[in-house]
Amino acid sequence: MEGAAGGQRALLRQVLGWRVAAAVTWSVLLLPLCTAAFIVLSGLDPFHPVRWISKSFSDLYTSYVIFCIFLMSVVIIVISIFNVEFYAVVPSIPCSRLALIGKIIHPQQVIHSFVHAIMGMLVAWCATVMTKGRFQFLAVSCTPSESLEDAVPQMCLNEYHLFFLLSGAFLGYSYSLFFLINNMNYLPFPIIQQYKYLRFRRSLPLLIKHSCVESLYFVRNFCVTYYFFGYIPKVWICTTMGLHTDSKLHPLDTLSGLLDLSLFYHTWLSGVFLLMTWYIAWLLFKIYATESHHFPIQPTFAQETDQCLPKILNSNPPLLVKFLALQDLMLLAQYSPVRRQEVFSLSQPGGHPHNWTAISRECLSLLSDLTQRLIAQQEAAAANGRAKPPVGELKVPPQTPGAAGIEDTSFQSQRSNIVLRASMSPLVKPSLMPVKTSPGSDVGSPFSSPALSYKMGAVDVKSPWHGTVQSPHVTRRGPKLWTSVSDQQMNGSHHEPSPVLSAARTGSEAVQPKFIYTWLQNKQEQIKNFLSKRALIMYFFSKHPEASIQAVFCDAQMHIWALEGLSHLVAASFTEDQFGVVQTTLPAILNTLLTLQEVVDRHFKLPHVSSKPPRISGSLVDTSYKTLRFALRASLKTALYRITTVFGEHLNAVQVSTEHKKRLQQFLDYKE
């Protein structure tokens, strides 16, 4: 276990290490250009342009500017480290307001916000040093207003400098907060592969615009905050450092002090400078991290086995590596005939299609998992619209102890359908659900395998349903906390005591819930019913339908790549598969795709589900994850048309169910 985890970390470092180093290097190299632009704009003097430009360029070579560039380079490195630690290829979508609050107060997010506030204060300090003038120092000499000519000068607090520092901390915290709320740690993979320079150049105008507008809103919010609470840090600094206040100047926590246009401009400009440098680091990391990676199909040396595409797909690597592997599968299936031949090749010696088997098995597993997830979501949506019947009203027909064995023997050829009827939602037709079963396996029978039970949602040994008969003829039962004695008598599972079963019964009675557990469960339901009638409680606990739907499809990008890669490989196999390795799994592929299409179609017919994708505005904040379900539906239909167009009438010879034959005929007739 430790060796596998170490190998995965090594693979992640190999894939991601150079990308992070390149992104940080370019971020630091672009920092002097941003600093030069800030110095030029901070000394804006349009009435004396020659003096303005010459003074700005002379300041670029001063020692304090060079020191500030070095300090901000350290800040960029720290920000890049947090970008690497907090990135995600699957967005985290809170389904309720309470979940969002929980994310904000999570310890990791608190550390993220605190560090960004400190880094923002450092950037603001560098901005005050480079701006010079009245913003440069925290303490300045002043004289009391009632002092005489021989009065001794005193050290007073420079509130402008304090205003700058606090604004930097506020902007840093706001950046961290919006980074979380807008899912800016999400790494969207490009649909069309482009050069990194072209992607950066295309995003640069959006970055500048977003930084300017966001800095304007942040500074506005900070001015309002400073107006109400600005006296607290001011009094604390004066008391701690023994400074006085200059009564000749207007305090900045008043309307007259905040209406200083020069102060507002320089604060806004420093905010733009902070956001631009941080967004550039984030944008470069996003561009480098989502660049396609070439994984070999077959290892050249024995040490490279763990780095091959089939091995990575069938293992449990970090999500970024898994996404890059599926992206590489989609690209090779679409554009690389040479690598496709490696997928279709046979092993020597033995002549087994290990590469195709591993790739197709993982793709089908991903699509089947998505199908099961959608079925569960549709079940939950259907259950919300009807009342749950009491447990005592549902009757279960009795069965003899040998019924399971007789049924397993009689219907061995239809075992997948039996499994389906026993565990599947009534929202999906049993004949359309592909199930991978092994000979002699059946969910709920003594011969079922753990893998099949897990795939089909079967209960474990500790579950209250363990030991009950799982048969397609059993009436659908309501949820139970445990199995009572009367239930055992009702379904025919109660027998006379025997020496063999006495020890097992004693162990099962030891784990049965006690009366206190029943009482606690009832109290919990009463508390839930009481709180559900309170408007303020429901405001935080109620789930947003659209967010819940987005959460179901949050990782649909890898399913889209699995669809495209699998369909392109199947279509190419019509002319390139010399050994016919794809034909053996073609029925399973068609069953999986057609079943998923039916489940997706049913999903879009649910209430609160929009059938049209929302309009995505051109912004730096990526919201493409909100339209992944529409992209999945389009990719699924395209994949089926891709296969039916190539194979044509040959698909009539493929063994699929009657419902699937009708659906395939619609694709063949271009009527779907």
Side-chain angles (χ1 to χ4, degrees):
M1 183 66 68
E2 295 180 358
Q8 293 176 5
R9 288 193 296 268
L11 180 61
L12 182 62
R13 286 195 299 268
Q14 179 183 354
V15 173
L16 193 61
W18 70 271
R19 300 168 186 254
V20 174
V24 173
T25 301
W26 278 109
S27 302
V28 173
L29 291 177
L30 291 175
L31 184 59
L33 295 178
C34 299
T35 305
F38 172 77
I39 292 175
V40 171
L41 294 177
S42 62
L44 184 63
D45 189 6
F47 298 102
H48 305 86
V50 177
R51 184 174 63 182
W52 167 37
I53 298 298
S54 60
K55 183 181 178 181
S56 299
F57 278 97
S58 62
D59 290 341
L60 291 176
Y61 303 99
T62 56
S63 58
Y64 58 85
V65 172
I66 296 176
F67 175 76
C68 288
I69 292 177
F70 173 77
L71 183 60
M72 287 187 294
S73 300
V74 177
V75 172
I76 291 298
I77 294 175
V78 174
I79 296 299
S80 300
I81 292 174
F82 275 84
N83 289 339
V84 175
E85 291 295 329
F86 283 81
Y87 80 88
V89 293
V90 177
S92 176
I93 303 174
C95 298
S96 63
R97 295 176 179 88
L98 185 65
L100 179 60
I101 295 175
K103 288 180 60 178
I104 294 175
I105 64 177
H106 193 276
Q108 289 186 351
Q109 179 60 31
V110 171
I111 295 174
H112 188 276
S113 301
F114 177 76
V115 173
H116 278 74
I118 298 299
M119 296 298 106
M121 189 175 292
L122 288 177
V123 175
W125 180 83
C126 294
T128 59
V129 171
M130 292 185 294
T131 304
K132 299 187 296 184
R134 57 177 178 171
F135 308 103
Q136 191 168 7
F137 301 104
L138 181 62
V140 294
S141 60
C142 62
T143 55
S145 58
E146 66 276 0
S147 64
L148 302 175
E149 296 180 357
D150 56 348
V152 179
Q154 299 176 344
M155 297 302 295
C156 295
L157 173 68
N158 183 10
E159 195 174 356
Y160 294 103
H161 187 91
L162 178 64
F163 187 87
F164 252 73
L165 295 182
L166 294 178
S167 67
F170 185 86
L171 264 69
Y173 175 78
S174 301
Y175 170 87
S176 173
L177 187 62
F178 277 73
F179 193 83
L180 169 73
I181 295 176
N182 295 329
N183 275 318
M184 297 191 69
N185 62 332
Y186 169 61
L187 297 179
F189 287 80
I191 300 177
I192 301 175
Q193 298 296 315
Q194 290 181 317
Y195 291 109
K196 294 184 289 293
Y197 168 72
L198 296 178
R199 293 181 60 188
F200 179 78
R201 188 183 67 179
R202 185 190 62 183
S203 302
L204 189 58
L206 293 176
L207 188 147
I208 297 174
K209 176 184 175 182
H210 185 81
S211 300
C212 294
V213 175
E214 196 170 60
S215 177
L216 187 65
Y217 284 108
F218 286 168
V219 171
R220 180 204 62 182
N221 297 340
F222 173 72
C223 289
V224 175
T225 305
Y226 193 85
Y227 176 79
F228 289 102
F229 306 103
Y231 68 94
I232 298 177
K234 182 170 62 174
V235 171
W236 182 75
I237 291 292
C238 290
T239 304
T240 304
M241 303 182 63
L243 301 176
H244 301 273
T245 56
D246 193 351
S247 57
K248 297 180 181 179
L249 300 176
H250 292 286
L252 297 182
D253 55 349
T254 60
L255 288 177
S256 58
L258 291 175
L259 291 177
D260 189 345
L261 294 180
S262 176
L263 174 65
F264 185 85
Y265 169 74
H266 285 93
T267 308
W268 170 79
L269 187 62
S270 66
V272 174
F273 176 62
L274 180 148
L275 294 175
M276 277 196 61
T277 53
W278 291 6
Y279 278 140
I280 285 176
W282 165 75
L283 178 62
L284 288 172
F285 169 72
K286 185 174 68 171
I287 291 174
Y288 273 94
T290 56
E291 185 184 9
S292 60
H293 184 81
H294 180 86
F295 293 93
I297 304 296
Q298 297 176 343
T300 306
F301 303 99
Q303 296 81 4
E304 299 178 354
T305 304
D306 294 337
Q307 303 176 9
C308 293
L309 183 63
K311 180 69 174 180
I312 292 175
L313 289 177
N314 284 269
S315 61
N316 190 24
L319 276 179
L320 178 62
V321 179
K322 186 70 169 288
F323 271 64
L324 290 174
L326 288 169
Q327 184 189 42
D328 185 46
L329 173 64
M330 182 269 296
L331 293 176
L332 77 88
Q334 192 169 359
Y335 301 111
S336 179
V338 177
R339 300 183 69 193
R340 286 200 298 264
Q341 286 297 325
E342 296 183 31
V343 174
F344 300 145
S345 63
L346 302 179
S347 63
Q348 297 297 333
H352 300 288
H354 292 307
N355 295 331
W356 167 251
T357 301
I359 291 174
S360 61
R361 180 173 62 241
E362 177 60 23
C363 291
L364 292 177
S365 176
L366 284 174
L367 299 178
S368 299
D369 291 342
L370 178 62
T371 304
Q372 293 290 338
R373 192 195 313 166
L374 291 177
I375 291 173
Q377 190 256 352
Q378 292 169 16
E379 258 193 337
N384 290 335
R386 61 175 183 266
K388 294 182 179 180
V391 176
E393 295 181 1
L394 296 177
K395 302 295 182 180
V396 181
Q399 275 190 342
T400 60
I406 297 173
E407 182 181 301
D408 181 71
T409 306
S410 302
F411 301 100
Q412 184 174 3
S413 61
Q414 302 176 1
R415 186 166 283 107
S416 61
N417 293 333
I418 294 175
V419 172
L420 184 63
R421 299 191 193 101
S423 62
M424 194 176 147
S425 167
L427 296 174
V428 181
K429 296 180 180 179
S431 61
L432 300 181
M433 185 64 195
V435 180
K436 295 183 289 186
T437 58
S438 58
S441 64
D442 192 9
V443 175
S445 69
F447 310 101
S448 62
S449 64
L452 180 60
S453 301
Y454 174 78
K455 279 288 181 184
M456 297 307 301
V459 295
D460 58 358
V461 179
K462 299 180 180 179
S463 173
W465 291 101
H466 177 69
T468 58
V469 180
Q470 300 291 337
S471 172
H473 306 292
V474 176
T475 307
R476 186 175 180 83
R477 292 169 288 192
K480 293 185 179 181
L481 295 177
W482 61 83
T483 303
S484 62
V485 178
S486 60
D487 296 330
Q488 294 177 355
Q489 295 175 353
M490 180 175 59
N491 60 21
S493 61
H494 182 71
H495 304 281
E496 293 296 327
S498 63
V500 180
L501 298 177
S502 59
R505 183 176 303 166
T506 304
S508 63
E509 290 175 357
V511 299
Q512 284 183 353
K514 304 299 182 182
F515 173 77
I516 186 66
Y517 181 74
T518 309
W519 183 81
L520 289 176
Q521 288 293 110
N522 294 333
K523 288 298 180 182
Q524 182 180 1
E525 292 297 329
Q526 292 176 6
I527 293 174
K528 287 182 179 180
N529 295 332
F530 174 78
L531 294 178
S532 64
K533 300 177 182 179
R534 299 300 181 268
L536 183 61
I537 299 297
M538 292 305 299
Y539 176 80
F540 290 101
F541 281 85
S542 61
K543 293 186 177 182
H544 194 275
E546 181 64 22
S548 302
I549 295 171
Q550 293 173 9
V552 175
F553 292 91
C554 60
D555 61 343
Q557 183 60 67
M558 63 178 181
H559 300 94
I560 293 174
W561 284 334
L563 275 172
E564 294 182 354
L566 197 62
S567 62
H568 277 290
L569 287 175
V570 171
S573 69
F574 189 75
T575 55
E576 299 178 8
D577 185 10
Q578 302 176 1
F579 306 101
V581 298
V582 177
Q583 311 308 317
T584 58
T585 54
L586 187 57
I589 293 174
L590 291 176
N591 285 330
T592 303
L593 296 185
L594 291 171
T595 304
L596 180 58
Q597 193 207 23
E598 181 177 352
V599 174
V600 169
D601 290 342
R602 290 181 180 273
H603 167 80
F604 280 96
K605 296 178 182 179
L606 293 176
H608 308 294
V609 176
S610 175
S611 59
K612 295 182 179 179
R615 180 177 300 178
I616 299 178
S617 59
S619 175
L620 188 67
V621 179
D622 188 273
T623 56
S624 59
Y625 61 88
K626 297 182 180 180
T627 60
L628 281 177
R629 62 183 185 273
F630 302 99
L632 175 69
R633 181 176 62 175
S635 298
L636 182 56
K637 185 172 292 187
T638 304
L640 286 169
Y641 269 119
R642 184 178 296 121
I643 296 174
T644 55
T645 302
V646 172
F647 281 84
E649 297 298 331
H650 296 285
L651 293 178
N652 294 328
V654 179
Q655 295 182 357
V656 293
S657 62
T658 306
E659 293 290 337
H660 286 174
K661 284 186 178 294
K662 294 179 181 179
R663 185 64 64 92
L664 277 178
Q665 191 60 43
Q666 291 179 356
F667 278 97
L668 290 172
D669 298 337
Y670 297 96
K671 294 180 180 180
E672 181 62 33

